[in-house]
Amino acid sequence: MRHRVLGLLATLPPGAAADPETLFARLRWERPLRGGSSTGPAAPAAESTDSGPARPDDLRSRLARWTLAEAELLGLTGRGALSAPARALLNLPLAEAASPADEGGGVEESVAAERAATLLAPLLPEAVDHVLLQADLTAVAPGPLRRPLADALAVLADVESKGGATVYRFTPGSVRRALDSGLAASDLHAFLAAHSRTPVPQPLAYLVDDVARRHGHLRVGAASAYVRCDDDTVLGEILADRRSAALACGAWRRRSSPRRRTRRRCSTGCGRWGTPRRPSRRRGTS
């Protein structure tokens, strides 16, 4: 059905568009329903519109309407007219209307795809492999980026605006997202230096180093609930925070020192914190 709809559009002169209702009527004439006319008693329910009479809503008509909508979204048609790349993809004449004998073409799909790509190439901007880093923690892509660069930059930065040039913004959250993906700070510095036409600004280098310095100090695992922190001060702030009382999980607090190691178990599910072990009294003191 899709191929036939595009084939009927190709029978028109280049740049000419067909009325959808006329196209549907031609399809109904070529492929009538087995039960009879679409307006007979056995026809499906019709779809009423405010702009005209009811039109058949059988599967054939719906497929035709979907094909026209998809062709418009994909650029195969423009305002209802079949585009030149679409004619090349269907292996149809580019400068004149196609005849019924031209439909199909008998050419391999790879050859037809190459013809369509050749016609599309001058109309599309060339992909670039670099960005322009700025001191306000943004990067400007002067055109569509190549896929590997676009994928990597989408992890490291957030898209701020799109248009002729895409603007990416680096934030602590975006840099932390890149570090969470397994990259190190040295990898980020090397990536920025390799794909920027401008020197890496100092604010961006400081941002990467600052986030990398704090990254991993507080780790949340995949267990039901556990928090691991090597900084005892940060752990104390979490335990003292009023919001941590709502956590229904057990926690362990470990304090290490060169001479002794104490461990405190915290049970938020019970609504109370355990108390640390009391150090043993020295002999001769009260």
Side-chain angles (χ1 to χ4, degrees):
M1 177 60 69
R2 286 184 172 90
H3 194 278
R4 184 53 187 158
V5 170
L6 298 179
L8 289 176
L9 294 178
T11 58
L12 300 174
D19 180 66
E21 295 302 327
T22 304
L23 184 64
F24 300 154
R26 174 61 182 267
L27 291 174
R28 289 194 295 269
W29 178 79
E30 289 185 353
R31 303 179 181 184
L33 294 177
R34 180 176 300 179
S37 174
S38 59
T39 58
E47 180 181 348
S48 300
T49 59
D50 298 335
S51 58
R55 56 184 178 181
D57 196 32
D58 54 279
L59 179 60
R60 175 193 50 201
S61 300
R62 292 199 302 268
L63 288 175
R65 285 196 293 270
W66 295 339
T67 300
L68 293 177
E70 293 170 356
E72 194 76 18
L73 290 175
L74 295 175
L76 297 178
T77 59
R79 301 180 65 87
L82 200 64
S83 62
R87 289 177 175 271
L89 193 61
L90 296 173
N91 192 32
L92 298 173
L94 304 180
E96 59 184 3
S99 62
D102 294 329
E103 188 175 354
V107 176
E108 295 182 1
E109 295 181 359
S110 59
V111 178
E114 291 179 2
R115 292 179 57 194
T118 303
L119 293 173
L120 277 175
L123 306 177
L124 300 177
E126 186 178 356
V128 297
D129 60 351
H130 64 275
V131 294
L132 304 176
L133 297 178
Q134 301 184 9
D136 59 349
L137 298 180
T138 60
V140 179
L145 298 176
R146 294 183 178 178
R147 178 56 56 186
L149 176 58
D151 293 341
L153 196 59
V155 178
L156 181 56
D158 298 324
V159 176
E160 189 173 72
S161 63
K162 291 184 177 181
T166 305
V167 179
Y168 294 86
R169 176 165 295 279
F170 300 94
T171 63
S174 65
V175 175
R176 189 178 301 110
R177 183 173 63 231
L179 296 174
D180 291 339
S181 66
L183 299 176
S186 58
D187 299 330
L188 300 183
H189 287 299
F191 171 79
L192 295 173
H195 294 92
S196 176
R197 289 291 178 87
T198 58
V200 179
Q202 285 188 353
L204 180 56
Y206 292 159
L207 175 64
V208 173
D209 293 336
D210 185 54
V211 175
R213 189 181 304 111
R214 300 194 308 267
H215 183 263
H217 287 187
L218 183 63
R219 304 178 184 179
V220 179
S224 58
Y226 83 86
V227 178
R228 175 183 174 183
C229 181
D230 296 331
D231 191 342
D232 189 70
T233 303
V234 175
L235 185 59
E237 294 177 359
I238 295 176
L239 298 179
D241 197 309
R242 184 179 303 173
R243 292 171 296 180
S244 62
L247 299 176
C249 63
W252 285 87
R253 181 180 181 184
R254 184 177 64 185
R255 182 177 301 167
S256 301
S257 65
R259 294 186 178 181
R260 71 173 185 269
R261 176 179 296 175
T262 61
R263 182 174 296 178
R264 184 169 70 178
R265 181 176 183 178
C266 308
S267 177
T268 57
C270 298
R272 62 182 181 180
W273 303 101
T275 56
R277 296 180 181 179
R278 295 182 179 179
S280 58
R281 294 183 177 180
R282 296 181 180 179
R283 296 182 179 180
T285 60
S286 57

